[in-house]
Amino acid sequence: MEITGFRRILVTGGAGFIGSNFVRYLFEQGAHEVVVLDKLTYAGNIANLADLADQPGFRFVQGDIADPSAVAAAMDGCDAIINFAAETHVDRSLLESAAFIRTNVHGTHVLLETALHTGVSRFVQVSTDEVYGEVLAGRSRESDPLRPRNPYAASKASGDLLALAYHASYGLPVMVTRGANTYGPYQHPEKFIPLSVTNLLEGRSIPVYGDGRQQRDWLHVRDHCRAIAFVLARGEPGQVYNIGAGNHRPNLEVARAIVRLLGLTEEWIQHVTDRPGHDRRYAVDSSRIESLGWAPEIPFEAGLAETVRWYEAHRDWWVPLKAGQFADYYHRNYGSRVVLSGGSET
Ligand code: NAD
Ligand code: DAU
């Protein structure tokens, strides 16, 4: 998807997992100027953008999307904005949710207000399939009711609704994307796939919540970035676009695949106490974005194998992320979980 029609694109949260992959993708597709605005929370990492340091047209600004003056300065001269900035981890939202409301709701509002006064031609609000809540059968369509069941998902649903209200009320050219579980290089090791891979590489087990039969639809980050670029270039203002990959797998199956890819046995999988309110399944109908010409390209088995190799080859990137404050978080989230079955920690 060629991206040459914009003068300057603002990418908020561009130092995170999907955002940094997206900035790289934008330049590959011919983007002229890209400004990244990122607060650099625990999840933001300037190292994710290190290869772009000398890229002509690239500028990084450290700042908070909930800070109107930082947003106004970063948005100056931009004709498009893609909002990736968010608190994103469900387990953290269950431990402490205030930052989720501040960034995902209030921060989104600041971006919308500023965009209204700046006059951008496209505003893409990057959201999630979690806003529909658990879908035990069938697939969610964009018109389905939102039934978020954890504080993270509720804060994202609030951001979606605010964004769509700015289109209905003021004609702001907003589009909302609702992507499925994304995986690939540069994902923070708190999330299931990178946590599983890096735990095994450290000699620890994979903690599978409950029975491990919960299903997620795994979307490679490059397919997700391509989809967002399609919406940016071809989407219709006021519309919502689901983005799924059709790669539904139970968590236990994903854990088994990772163990095999690292040449280990299932003794390295531990069942632990479930996540409270754990959604059993998400599934979206992606026919609307497919009608724009997008389709996922990366098969899950190939994408997973490539991702495992990436984490094996980039210990320098993730080892520091699993130290310090992350160790405290790990203790809070996993320390109280009872081991239900499986191999033991070493
Ligand atoms: P991430 O946690 O890896 O990155 C989030 C980024 O936002 C970080 O760089 C962080 O520093 C930045 N940030 C957080 N608060 C900020 C603030 N107040 N101001 C400025 N920057 C701030 O997240 P991700 O997995 O890359 O997700 C990106 C977006 O995609 C999120 O909006 C998320 O809801 C959505 N999404 C993620 C997935 C997934 O599976 N990862 C799937 C669908 C949708
Ligand atoms: O569906 C899109 C969403 O996917 C995004 O909006 C979120 O930002 C992203 O974090 C992700 O949410 P999940 O809760 O689905 O992802 P997570 O990687 O935390 O968990 C994936 C599945 O694995 C889920 O069923 C919970 C389970 N799990 C997770 C962890 C961290 C485990 O069994 N053990 C774990 O240690």
Side-chain angles (χ1 to χ4, degrees):
M1 171 53 47
E2 210 174 74
I3 300 287
T4 50
F6 300 98
R7 187 178 57 244
R8 187 181 294 164
I9 301 174
L10 176 62
V11 178
T12 61
F17 163 47
I18 310 176
S20 60
N21 279 281
F22 185 74
V23 173
R24 202 168 289 112
Y25 181 77
L26 279 180
F27 280 117
E28 283 167 22
Q29 303 309 308
H32 307 300
E33 290 186 43
V34 178
V35 179
V36 167
L37 175 67
D38 197 297
K39 187 177 174 180
L40 296 182
T41 66
Y42 79 93
N45 187 350
I46 198 68
N48 296 1
L49 297 164
D51 54 322
L52 294 171
D54 298 325
Q55 168 72 43
F58 173 68
R59 186 157 66 94
F60 177 80
V61 180
Q62 184 170 4
D64 186 339
I65 62 163
D67 172 357
S69 55
V71 170
M75 213 181 278
D76 188 39
C78 293
D79 47 0
I81 160 159
I82 298 90
N83 179 26
F84 290 94
E87 290 292 334
T88 62
H89 193 34
V90 173
D91 289 320
R92 287 184 192 258
S93 82
L94 294 165
L95 292 171
E96 215 165 299
S97 54
F100 289 73
I101 307 307
R102 186 172 186 279
T103 291
N104 303 359
V105 186
H106 181 56
T108 301
H109 178 250
V110 170
L111 290 173
L112 291 164
E113 270 293 305
T114 312
L116 195 57
H117 295 108
T118 309
V120 294
S121 66
R122 310 295 255 183
F123 186 121
V124 181
Q125 169 70 3
V126 179
S127 187
T128 164
D129 62 359
E130 290 208 16
V131 297
Y132 297 113
E134 72 180 354
V135 183
L136 296 177
R139 287 167 192 259
S140 308
R141 302 201 66 133
E142 288 86 347
S143 53
D144 283 358
L146 305 188
R147 295 201 175 95
R149 288 166 27 95
N150 61 62
Y152 160 70
S155 69
K156 290 298 290 184
S158 308
D160 285 26
L161 294 179
L162 268 176
L164 292 169
Y166 269 66
H167 175 261
S169 305
Y170 309 113
L172 191 70
V174 166
M175 288 153 290
V176 174
T177 62
R178 295 191 181 139
N181 274 68
T182 306
Y183 71 102
Y186 297 104
Q187 185 168 31
H188 194 282
E190 68 189 356
K191 304 286 167 46
F192 183 56
I193 287 181
L195 182 91
S196 299
V197 177
T198 59
N199 268 18
L200 293 178
L201 292 172
E202 290 176 316
R204 296 173 185 236
S205 307
I206 299 179
V208 167
Y209 293 163
D211 62 11
R213 292 181 203 277
Q214 307 84 2
Q215 280 190 27
R216 297 294 184 264
D217 176 13
W218 293 101
L219 172 68
H220 193 276
V221 67
R222 194 166 174 86
D223 280 334
H224 197 163
C225 290
R226 281 179 46 252
I228 293 169
F230 264 83
V231 171
L232 175 65
R234 296 189 187 163
E236 189 187 325
Q239 282 290 16
V240 177
Y241 294 90
N242 288 340
I243 309 169
N247 287 321
H248 290 89
R249 301 283 187 285
N251 294 335
L252 192 52
E253 198 181 302
V254 175
R256 285 178 176 144
I258 293 171
V259 161
R260 277 197 304 275
L261 282 163
L262 286 170
L264 297 169
T265 63
E266 288 184 22
E267 281 168 359
W268 291 91
I269 298 174
Q270 276 187 340
H271 289 264
V272 300
T273 321
D274 208 350
R275 174 186 278 176
H278 194 170
D279 291 338
R280 299 292 294 181
R281 178 177 178 266
Y282 304 128
V284 291
D285 178 323
S286 307
S287 43
R288 182 176 287 165
I289 190 169
E290 284 168 7
S291 73
L292 298 182
W294 175 86
E297 291 179 345
I298 303 177
F300 182 61
E301 282 64 30
L304 185 65
E306 174 226 87
T307 301
V308 169
R309 299 296 160 241
W310 190 88
Y311 282 89
E312 275 187 303
H314 290 82
R315 283 176 186 265
D316 293 0
W317 181 84
W318 59 262
V319 167
L321 299 182
K322 288 189 92 169
Q325 285 181 3
F326 184 78
D328 296 339
Y329 155 74
Y330 196 86
H331 182 69
R332 278 178 77 197
N333 190 45
Y334 294 95
S336 59
R337 286 183 198 275
V338 173
V339 176
L340 304 173
S341 68
S344 53
E345 285 278 297
T346 56

